[in-house]
Structure formats: structure tokens, C-alpha cells
Amino acid sequence: PRPVRLAEYRPSDFLIDAVELDVMLDPTATRVTARLRLRPNPAGRDNAALTLDGDDLNLVSAAIDGDPLRVDDLDVSPSSLTIANPPRRPFELTVTTLVDPSANTKLMGLYRSNGAYCTQCEAEGFRRITYFLDRPDVLAVYTIRIEGSEAENPVLLSNGNLVETGAAGEGRHFAVWHDPHPKPSYLFALVAGDLGVVEDQFVTMGGRKVTLKVFVEHGKEDRAVHAMESIKASMRWDEEAFGREYDLDVFMVVAVSYFNMGAMENKGLNVFNDKYVLASPETATDGDYANIEAIIAHEYFHNWTGNRITCRDWFQLCLKEGLTVFRDQEFTADMRSRPVKRISDVRGLRSVQFAEDAGPLAHPVRPEVYAEINNFYTPTVYEKGAEVIRMLKTWIGGDAFRAGMDLYFDRHDGQACTIEQFIACFAEVSGRDFSQFLRWYSQAGTPEVRIATAYDAEARTFTLDAAQSTPATPGQHTKLPVVIPLALGLVGPDGRDMPLVVGGAPAGPVFALTDETTRIVFENVEQRPAPSLFRNFSAPVKVVSDIADDDLLFLAAHDSDPFNRWQAAQTVALRHLVASVAAVRSGREPADEPRLAEALSRAFDPAESDCAYAAQIAALPSEGDVARELGEDVDPDAIHAARGFLKSAMRRRLGPQLLAAYERLAETGPYSPDAASAGRRALKVAALDLLAAGGERDGIARAHALYSGARNMTDRVMALQVLSLHASPEREDALADFARVYGQDPLLLDKWFVIQASAPLPDTIDRVETLMASPGFDIRNPNRVRSLIGTFGAGNPTQFNRPDGRGYAFVAGVVAELNASNPQVAARLLGAFRTWRSLEPQRRGKAEAALRGLADMPRLSADVADIVRRALA
Ligand code: BAL
Ligand code: ZN
């Protein structure tokens, strides 16, 4: 198919004001009758034909205003329905289609999940249910009648409010749902099945009583309590932080086990991957609890940023996703620890988005062309999109940001918008010119900022020279400077921030770097300061500075900005690891780094009260961080060796302290997933991980003891994770035990898959292949595929990048197998290849061969073909 271009956007020639859908459920032949109230769009072309989108549909009949259309009136195929000469006035089009939910392995449109019916319509799944103008700028009011077997589907759900239920004869029943809020088709949802439910209530700030329901498989109701609490917390927070109130009488979440994404924000009826709903102390880890809270919040927040105000077209995806990620980040920061949330988000951004930005799949936050929109639900659109919103807020200040958001909600409620319309609200309230800022949306690539500093004791000035540049990315060879907010502090020898004076007046702490080079001269600087740059990661840029390790280590101890205390130690560690990789590759032993050990030892100091923060300090840069820092000629084995060497050195230097911390942090009371308790467990395992570095026997024995004596799933899984890194009898014993005890629970089986697939051991690939053939694995279930193959590809640098190329061939083989049955999941797995060009030549050649093998495959899906083509371009 032809690529879709932003520049070619045209309003729809027709609009649909109302949709009545009559869905007669049947496992293999569901009959969908759609009555569409259409009218010509005044903004569209005169005398245009009406072409409705379809995908894999069987047309049964069509009629206009009750008059059946004959075959000659129509041009119909499984992927479109065209009426050459429709009425030039409002009219009703009735279309009946037949769909087979049981055969729908793509999990887009109407499909079955463990016997229940459910839907996924974003981005283009509604066209797999009925012929439609399946584009986000066509907003309609939906009324849905669902009819099905009462025994098999006692629960019948759709968007909006329930208006009628009743018997339909022959053991069937029906429900009618009406959603008064006009919405695009991608927000439609239908669920039918035999499900358990947990109910609660929320009273909004305006006094509306909202019934809350979480639907799960029978018997799992007790695992829905945390999700329910998270809904209520999200609703309250959105009222307090953004003044946003919920707008229907009921809000529902349904957990399903077959789902391509994490969750989906359908109006009033969010459908979730069960992984992000179900939690109990026996089955979920601290990470699961935190993820559920964040994803429930994310989908709920879409009600205003995405649903009430939606996107004009799919190029504007970041309008709802970047903004909603920003909102869920702020929610988590308020619910838990703000610095810890920031650090973990920045870790995630760098490891995935910076990697994407530096490779062949780089694209702008707002892409300008796509071959397959499913492939643009990316870290760039989501996470970099959120960073752009955060910069905007940093640049104009919190009050102006809130005023701009209020204006956006006021002005655009009920509309399908563009980034320009969003940004115009902030330009208006702040009086600033955003034309340069908009480059963040159109230029791909991570800007690099080089900083050089000079202190002049005589003149008492401190000069900072910043030079920005953005590397070329596919299709974008030259780049222009962007607006980069630089939040900084000058830290004096006493550890305190000095006053910032520029041009004789107080200045900062945020400076906008708008030109290729910027010089800032700070005055009245009595002593040479240590500059703390990009505090709280004030811009998503790569910083290369001349700040010496000594200054960074000073900042690691004294900076008032907790993010930069962490960052300073990370930078020193990263510099050290880069040097160690060079040593390993030339057959030398990496140097020791006692000062780094001292900086990291602060994490295990009993005086450090925020354990979650301390755990972040203790965590070394990842192998991916080192690979990205190197940028080219990457040898993942050398990186693994260098990092292992550093961990062992830490164990030798900090042993007694690690042991003391490990014992001090032992679990005593009953399990609670709250942030402070989770932080203690995270710090405990950070100590354990170092104690077991290099496969040290005492550490392994302790990890095994933690596994065996664990009183909650977090300790159990973390202990297993530590054991899994080193070949040992304890490892095999614990893995076998976990399978025996928990192997029947699919979500726990996933954890067991993840742990084995990420092990940096040479037999991992054999294990993964064996596990794929085991009864618990189901290639049709995206969670199983992601846990086992996704983790192996994207979470195991040494084994995916085996020098013999077997890792590449294996992942490519699974992609080939999934290509037809679930192209979306297949294309996602290919993300593992996003950095293949930066590998050393031998691995690069093998990775390329695997990609070329896929490119030569017949009948490649649009999803897979698009990624392969761009990866090889
Ligand atoms: N809209 C797709 C799922 C999400 O980002 O919420
Ligand atoms: Zn979202």
C-alpha cells in the first residue's frame, strides 16, 4: 500500500453523526448491522464518492434510507466499500457484515480471548467489524445493541451508559448501551463473556456518583482490588492536578489475557491486558503493583487527553500519548517518590528511546509519513513526546502550563486536534513564540549538547559555553537548533548553590539554549563551582561536558538536586565502563575505581532514608547504556565482561557494608506494596546482586535462601533473577521449584520465562527454544511471546547478539512464524534489531543476513515489511 503522508491530509468528504450497531454474537459468524447517519462534510469535496474502510470483511447487504443497494451500485472488496454516487444530503446507510471472531488471531477488531469476546480498535481495528469512515476526525454518537447466548455471555458491555437489557429468546439475551459523547471509531469497545466483577463507587468533585467496575476471570476477583484502588486514586488526582472530572455514570475496566498492547482507553470501557490489572501479594511483585497503578492512571487520563479531545489524524498520535504519559508520570511522582520516578523514567527513555533515535528506525515525535501506523506506537511518540511536554512546562513555568492546559480543554473539548492547536494555547497564555519549539515535533534524533566551562578567579566569573547539534537521521540530513531548557545550579565548595547572576541581575535557574552556540557568563562567583547541569533532566539531550570526575563525585555527594546526585555518579560509572570495555577488548584488566565504589557505597549507608532512591544510586549503568555511549563497533560480550568486572570490584570493596545492608533490610512484617516497602526490597536485592557478583558462593547461597524463605512474590522473583545470572545448582533448583509451584498461572509463568530468557548464559537460546515447545507456551498469546522471545531479543544483549548469529536467526524465525497470524506482535519483536548497525562487523553481518532473510520472504505483512525495510534502508 501507498505510504500515508501528513502533508496530504484532507478532511473527510462525509461525516457520520450517529452509529447504531446491532451485534449478533456467534463464535464464528457474528453478524454486525451498522446504521450510519451520514452527511456530506461542508469542508469536503463536492460530489465525492463515499468510500468506507474495511479489513477482511464479508458484506451481507447494504441499503440507503431503507432501499437495498444492488451489486452494481457498489464497489465492494474485503478492504473497502465504495458508493460512487451517494445522496448529497443527510442519509442513513445500513450495512450488514459477517465476521469470524474465532479466526481473528491478529487480535484487532472483534476476537475471542479465553472464551470471551472483546475488541481492539486503535488504530484501525473498527474496519474489521464493519465498513466505516475509520479515521479519528469522524466523531459520532454510538448506540450499541449486543445479543448473545446468556449462558456463555452473561456479561454484555459497550461504551457509555447501559440503557436496556432483556431476553431475546432461545437462551439469548441482549443489552443496549448508549454513549452520549461523540467519539472516533478507535474508541469503540465491546466485551461479552462470563466474567467476575468487583464494584465500587466514586463521587466526583461535581457530585456525580460513578459506579466503578473491574471485570476479571471468575476466581480472580481478589486480584482486582489494587486496580480498583488505582482507579479511584487516578480520578481524584485528575480533579486535583488538572481540574478534570469524569463524565459518565459508569467506568469499567476489563482484564483479558490475549491483548496486543498494555491496555486501551475506550470510552468508559477500558480493556486491559490482564498483566496490568491482576495483583495479589502471592502473585504480583512490587513492579507489578506500580505498573498497574500507572497504567490504570494512563488509560483513565486519556478520558480527557485523547477521548474528549482526540487526534485529527494518526500523525498527531503524540498529542494524546505524549501528553498522557506526561500526566501519568506526574501522577506516579505524586503517589510515590518524585526523584525515583524521574530517574526510572530517564533510565527508560535513554535505554529505549535514545536507542531508537540513534538507529535506522528513528522518526520525529510527530512522524510525517507512515506505511503502517501500528509501528508508530513507539518510545519516541510516547516517551520523547512526554519529555517535550515536560520541557514546555519547564520553559514557560508551572502556572502558565496549567493556564495553557485549561485553555486547551476549554477551547477544544469535543474536537479532533493537531499539535499546532495544542501549542497555540501555550503560546497564547505565555506570550512566547513557539515556532522554534515546534522543531521538537518535526526533527528526529537526540540533540547533543557539548558544554565547556571556565572559571576566572580574578574576574570572579564562571563561563559556560554550550554547543548543540542533532545528528542526521533517516530522511533528515540537516537539522536546525531547538529550544533546550537548561536548568542548572553552581554548587560551591560548601555544597550549597551559589546565587546566579548574569549581566548584573539575578538569573535562572532555567536558561533556554536556542542557538547553535550559547555563552552564559555568571558573575560574582567567589570560588570555583561544580556546575550541576540539566537538573532533573531538563531536556532529553545527550550531554558531553568537560566536568571532571572529581567535580562529579563532589556533586554525587552534595548536589541539592537528587536527580543530578544520581546522574553524577552514573556519569562517572559510565566513563569508567567505557574505558574498561577498551581494556577488555585489548586483553588488559580494567582499572580499579575506588572513588566510584565510595560514591555507590552511599546507597547502603543506614542514614539514607529513601531506599528506593538508594537502590537507583546502587544500580550501575546497564549494558545498553554502555553500548549507546560507545555508539559504534559494539561488542556486547566485552561490555558484559567490563560490567561484571566492576560489580565484582564493588563486592570486594563494599562486602561488609553490602552484607550489613542486606541483613538490615530483611523482611519482617506482612507484605505491603507501598513505595517505601518496595524501596527497601529494591535496595536489598541491589545488595544481594552485588554480593553474588561473579557467582560468589556466599552471595548465591544467600539468594537461594531468600528464594526458599520468601514471604512475597517480589522477594521470590528478585532472588530468582539474581540466581539466574550465574550457572549453579541453586539456580536449577529454584527454577524447577518455581515451575512446579507457579507454572499453572500464566502471569507467573511469564515471569519464569522472562528470567530464563534474560540470562546471560550460553545455553539460554537452547532453553528458550525448549520452552517454546513446552505446554505452557502459546504463540497466539502476546504475553507469552513477549515474555519469552521479546525478552530474549530486547533484554539479553549477549545472547541475542551471539557472535554465531543464532540469536538473530532465532528471533527472525519467530517473526516469520507470527508474520501472518499476528503481524503487530511480529513487528514489535523486530524492535530487537533497532541498534544492529552499531554492532562490531561480525555481528553486524549476521544481523543483516537475518533481516535480509525476512525481507525476501513472500507475503510479508505490512507491519513486518515496514520495519524490515526501514531497518535495512
Ligand atoms: N492508545 C493505546 C494504548 C495507550 O497508549 O493507552
Ligand atoms: Zn496512551
Side-chain angles (χ1 to χ4, degrees):
R2 218 168 71 82
V4 184
R5 293 180 195 284
L6 171 59
E8 293 172 8
Y9 171 83
R10 281 195 283 110
S12 176
D13 294 320
F14 291 86
L15 297 174
I16 303 176
D17 293 321
V19 178
E20 283 177 36
L21 223 56
D22 196 340
V23 183
M24 303 285 277
L25 292 172
D26 180 275
T28 56
T30 292
R31 179 181 290 256
V32 179
T33 300
R35 267 178 294 280
L36 312 178
R37 216 161 64 222
L38 282 137
R39 67 183 157 95
N41 184 358
R45 295 169 301 179
D46 291 338
N47 300 319
L50 170 63
T51 297
L52 302 176
D53 306 298
D55 181 5
D56 222 1
L57 288 177
N58 283 311
L59 180 71
V60 175
S61 64
I64 286 184
D65 292 332
D67 294 333
L69 289 166
R70 288 166 304 130
V71 178
D72 333 345
D73 303 329
L74 297 168
D75 183 359
V76 66
S77 77
S79 61
S80 69
L81 186 159
T82 298
I83 300 168
N85 199 12
R88 305 298 162 190
R89 52 164 173 80
F91 63 100
E92 186 179 272
L93 174 67
T94 307
V95 178
T96 299
T97 48
L98 268 184
V99 296
D100 180 351
S102 301
N104 185 352
T105 58
K106 294 183 179 173
L107 314 187
M108 284 292 276
L110 177 68
Y111 67 93
R112 305 206 77 186
S113 170
N114 273 357
Y117 294 87
C118 69
T119 55
Q120 171 58 36
C121 292
E122 187 176 2
E124 297 179 335
F126 194 70
R127 65 184 64 182
R128 292 168 60 77
I129 297 172
T130 186
Y131 290 103
F132 203 73
L133 295 171
D134 191 13
R135 45 188 289 169
D137 58 351
V138 171
L139 307 180
V141 170
Y142 286 64
T143 306
I144 311 296
R145 183 182 185 280
I146 313 165
E147 184 184 312
S149 153
E150 185 158 17
E152 285 167 25
N153 314 293
V155 174
L156 302 173
L157 309 174
S158 191
N159 319 86
N161 297 316
L162 181 63
V163 292
E164 195 185 345
T165 58
E170 296 177 8
R172 290 171 75 81
H173 70 150
F174 73 92
V176 180
W177 291 83
H178 177 74
D179 179 4
H181 299 282
K183 64 170 177 286
S185 48
Y186 82 86
L187 291 173
F188 166 80
L190 176 156
V191 172
D194 188 1
L195 300 167
V197 64
V198 173
E199 276 199 49
D200 208 328
Q201 198 190 54
F202 180 82
V203 182
T204 69
M205 60 185 182
R208 180 195 282 268
K209 288 195 179 63
V210 182
T211 301
L212 308 177
K213 297 188 185 196
V214 179
F215 292 90
V216 295
E217 282 175 13
H218 284 296
K220 294 187 174 167
E221 290 85 350
D222 61 328
R223 290 163 74 173
V225 174
H226 176 65
M228 180 62 87
E229 292 306 311
S230 302
I231 296 173
K232 290 186 279 183
S234 306
M235 288 182 145
R236 184 63 67 216
W237 186 89
D238 212 12
E239 293 183 347
E240 288 168 359
F242 282 93
R244 296 299 104 199
E245 188 178 1
Y246 188 62
D247 53 9
L248 288 165
D249 300 333
V250 59
F251 179 74
M252 298 176 285
V253 163
V254 184
V256 299
S257 50
Y258 285 65
F259 205 66
N260 281 349
M261 312 190 184
M264 178 63 213
E265 70 265 24
N266 317 298
K267 182 77 189 190
L269 177 57
N270 291 357
V271 178
F272 269 65
N273 187 323
D274 57 3
K275 174 180 164 67
Y276 296 121
V277 171
L278 301 174
S280 68
E282 298 73 38
T283 59
T285 62
D286 295 335
D288 294 326
Y289 277 92
N291 278 336
I292 290 167
E293 182 182 83
I295 296 173
I296 288 269
H298 178 95
E299 305 311 329
Y300 175 71
F301 297 156
H302 268 313
N303 191 52
W304 274 95
T305 49
N307 301 4
R308 293 285 291 243
I309 306 179
T310 193
C311 303
R312 186 193 72 174
D313 53 71
W314 291 121
F315 296 102
Q316 321 293 331
L317 185 57
C318 60
L319 176 76
K320 73 180 178 81
E321 295 304 347
L323 179 54
T324 304
V325 171
F326 170 77
R327 275 152 53 69
D328 84 54
Q329 289 174 346
E330 287 298 287
F331 166 75
T332 299
D334 284 346
M335 299 291 287
R336 292 166 178 255
S337 153
R338 185 162 280 273
V340 172
K341 176 62 177 160
R342 189 69 186 129
I343 291 167
S344 68
D345 285 342
V346 172
R347 274 190 197 278
L349 180 85
R350 285 179 173 146
S351 78
V352 192
Q353 197 282 322
F354 276 25
E356 179 168 85
D357 241 355
L361 302 179
H363 57 272
V365 170
R366 181 171 66 179
E368 281 162 20
V369 57
Y370 61 78
E372 173 50 67
I373 187 58
N374 289 336
N375 289 336
F376 283 85
Y377 288 74
T378 59
T380 296
V381 169
Y382 276 64
E383 274 74 33
K384 188 174 179 182
E387 290 300 320
V388 173
I389 305 286
R390 188 173 294 280
M391 273 191 291
L392 187 163
K393 181 177 174 185
T394 303
W395 188 42
I396 66 173
D399 291 344
F401 177 72
R402 176 65 198 266
M405 286 300 300
D406 288 347
L407 178 59
Y408 174 63
F409 290 128
D410 251 24
R411 179 179 287 171
H412 294 296
D413 187 11
Q415 297 177 3
C417 290
T418 61
I419 287 296
E420 282 76 7
Q421 288 172 307
F422 173 71
I423 291 292
C425 296
F426 298 94
E428 200 165 310
V429 297
S430 68
R432 301 232 183 149
D433 178 355
F434 271 76
S435 45
Q436 186 184 5
F437 189 89
L438 277 164
R439 288 179 194 153
W440 279 109
Y441 286 100
S442 58
Q443 282 190 174
T446 304
E448 180 174 298
V449 180
R450 293 192 162 262
I451 303 261
T453 58
Y455 178 61
D456 183 335
E458 213 162 295
R460 296 187 301 134
T461 57
F462 184 79
T463 303
L464 183 150
D465 282 303
Q468 63 160 293
S469 61
T470 303
T473 50
Q476 289 188 337
H477 301 293
T478 53
K479 311 274 178 160
L480 297 167
V482 285
V483 180
I484 298 179
L486 165 60
L488 64 74
L490 300 182
V491 184
D494 61 356
R496 294 159 73 136
D497 278 11
M498 299 172 161
L500 302 178
V501 179
V502 176
V510 178
F511 299 84
L513 309 178
T514 54
D515 298 324
E516 265 167 30
T517 58
T518 306
R519 168 167 288 188
I520 308 172
V521 181
F522 296 96
E523 297 150 8
N524 307 342
V525 184
E526 305 295 343
Q527 285 168 295
R528 195 183 71 83
S532 170
L533 306 171
F534 292 98
R535 280 183 160 170
N536 203 34
F537 197 66
S538 62
V541 298
K542 179 175 181 208
V543 184
V544 182
S545 81
D546 64 353
I547 299 173
D549 282 2
D550 282 343
D551 278 345
L552 289 171
L553 290 164
F554 178 79
L555 291 171
H558 300 292
D559 199 326
S560 61
D561 181 59
F563 179 88
N564 266 7
R565 283 204 301 281
W566 167 81
Q567 180 65 68
Q570 288 285 306
T571 303
V572 175
L574 196 54
R575 287 177 181 175
H576 177 74
L577 284 167
V578 166
S580 300
V581 170
V584 168
R585 291 189 77 179
S586 59
R588 286 179 287 121
E589 186 155 296
D592 199 2
E593 182 37 296
R595 294 175 313 162
L596 181 58
E598 190 194 323
L600 299 185
S601 75
R602 220 165 281 125
F604 302 104
D605 189 332
E608 174 59 68
S609 57
D610 184 346
C611 292
Y613 178 71
Q616 291 287 359
I617 297 282
L620 296 173
S622 69
E623 291 173 28
D625 290 335
V626 182
R628 226 177 29 261
E629 188 66 19
L630 292 166
E632 57 183 22
D633 195 26
V634 169
D635 174 351
D637 286 331
I639 295 175
H640 183 73
R643 198 168 174 278
F645 194 91
L646 181 56
K647 280 172 72 173
S648 291
M650 293 294 149
R651 172 175 50 71
R652 282 194 302 274
R653 289 199 169 272
L654 306 179
Q657 234 180 313
L658 296 172
L659 205 51
Y662 182 69
E663 287 174 351
R664 185 176 75 245
L665 294 162
E667 203 82 356
T668 47
Y671 175 79
S672 159
D674 68 90
S677 310
R680 278 196 297 280
R681 284 184 285 272
L683 186 58
K684 177 176 65 185
V685 82
L688 182 63
D689 181 44
L690 290 175
L691 285 168
E696 179 71 12
R697 293 300 314 156
D698 179 61
I700 297 294
R702 283 176 196 279
H704 191 256
L706 179 63
Y707 174 83
S708 309
R711 289 155 45 178
N712 58 69
M713 190 46 75
T714 306
D715 277 351
R716 198 175 302 284
V717 164
M718 292 197 307
L720 195 56
Q721 188 89 54
V722 170
L723 286 171
S724 75
L725 302 178
H726 314 280
S728 72
E730 289 91 337
R731 170 188 202 267
E732 299 313 317
D733 175 74
L735 282 171
D737 179 78
F738 196 93
R740 205 165 41 242
V741 181
Y742 303 107
Q744 298 311 311
D745 184 313
L747 295 182
L748 290 172
L749 188 68
D750 283 344
K751 296 187 192 304
W752 190 70
F753 283 163
V754 165
I755 286 170
Q756 293 178 84
S758 56
L761 301 174
D763 70 346
T764 290
I765 191 162
D766 300 321
R767 288 211 185 208
V768 171
E769 283 178 344
T770 305
L771 290 170
M772 258 189 91
S774 67
F777 186 81
D778 172 4
I779 196 148
R780 290 164 309 167
N781 186 302
N783 283 357
R784 297 305 93 72
V785 173
R786 280 187 287 254
S787 303
L788 194 58
I789 298 97
T791 301
F792 178 78
N796 193 336
T798 60
Q799 302 312 303
F800 173 61
N801 295 297
R802 288 167 60 106
D804 64 6
R806 242 183 97 191
Y808 308 133
F810 168 67
V811 173
V814 179
V815 170
E817 195 177 340
L818 276 166
N819 170 62
S821 59
N822 193 332
Q824 213 171 315
V825 169
R828 279 276 151 153
L829 290 181
L830 278 178
F833 286 88
R834 63 165 63 105
T835 53
W836 75 274
R837 283 190 188 279
S838 64
L839 293 163
E840 53 79 23
Q842 186 188 339
R843 289 177 172 88
R844 194 165 67 226
K846 299 260 194 295
E848 181 169 2
L851 287 168
R852 294 213 179 276
L854 278 173
D856 291 340
M857 243 182 77
R859 289 183 296 282
L860 222 47
S861 62
D863 304 59
V864 172
D866 171 47
I867 300 280
V868 170
R869 186 187 51 74
R870 285 193 282 141
L872 286 170

